Amino acid sequence: MKIHVLGFWGTYPGPGEATTGFLVETDHKKILLDCGSGVLAQLQKICSVEELDAVIVTHHHHDHVADLGVLGYAMLLARLTGARQHKLPMYMPLSPSPTVDGLQNEPLIDVMFIDDTTVLDVDGWQVTFAPTVHPVPCFAVRFEKNGQSFVFSADTSWADSLVRHAEGADLFICEASMYAGQEENARNAGHLTSVQAGKLAKDAGVKRLALTHYPHYGDWKDLFLQAEDSFGNTVDKLDTLQVIHL
């Protein structure tokens, strides 16, 4: 498995970059995991939109779905030009929204709703979901195959269910939207601090931790130092178009 980092910002993208989005590439499939602002522009540096095999959406906040509507337009254009004939499955939490309605009206898109009982098989990888603590329905995602596992926290404040979901992961990409000392603000907003992200990873016994959903203020060095102190090991910083091998 290869995980291409398309975007890592929280709230809004940095210049020329994107909010949350990852391209998960298995032996034979390409899965878009979240589709935030600017994600499609980064995706096309790796593959065409028509090459996607599936889309997984963790929740319906704009910094995770801002490009989802235009992805629907891309599928409409692919249908009209004949660039794609088979449907693109999209898995997401149930959410009444004009964007979701528009996706459901596109014949080349198959919208399917997920919950914590959903289990997908993607190229032999078992994909499971765990609810997080966030103002809207939101699910962490775990990919697992032959003893290897990758877990994405999505957006969340502290959740014991996420500790269990991330248990023993080879790679855990976890949000860290705020710094040490901002725990109350983080809890109220449904997010984690750097210290909480590190503790969550330590409690889950993950092998490798990378932070995402970066804030647009403060000194990032502090964010990672705080997480490393809590995790007890080095913590990875993500970069646009970085490729992580599992």
Side-chain angles (χ1 to χ4, degrees), residues 125 142-145 147-151 167-171 246:
W125 288 83
R142 182 181 182 109
F143 291 79
E144 188 162 13
K145 179 181 179 181
Q148 287 189 307
S149 55
F150 156 54
V151 177
E167 184 176 0
D170 293 281
L171 171 66
L246 192 61

Side-chain angles (χ1 to χ4, degrees), residues 7 34 130 231 246:
D34 275 346
F231 181 43
L246 192 61

Side-chain angles (χ1 to χ4, degrees), residues 90-110:
M90 291 188 178
Y91 304 94
M92 61 188 68
L94 181 63
S95 175
S97 77
T99 298
V100 175
D101 292 343
L103 295 173
Q104 289 179 306
N105 289 331
E106 170 50 52
L108 267 191
I109 294 175
D110 189 7

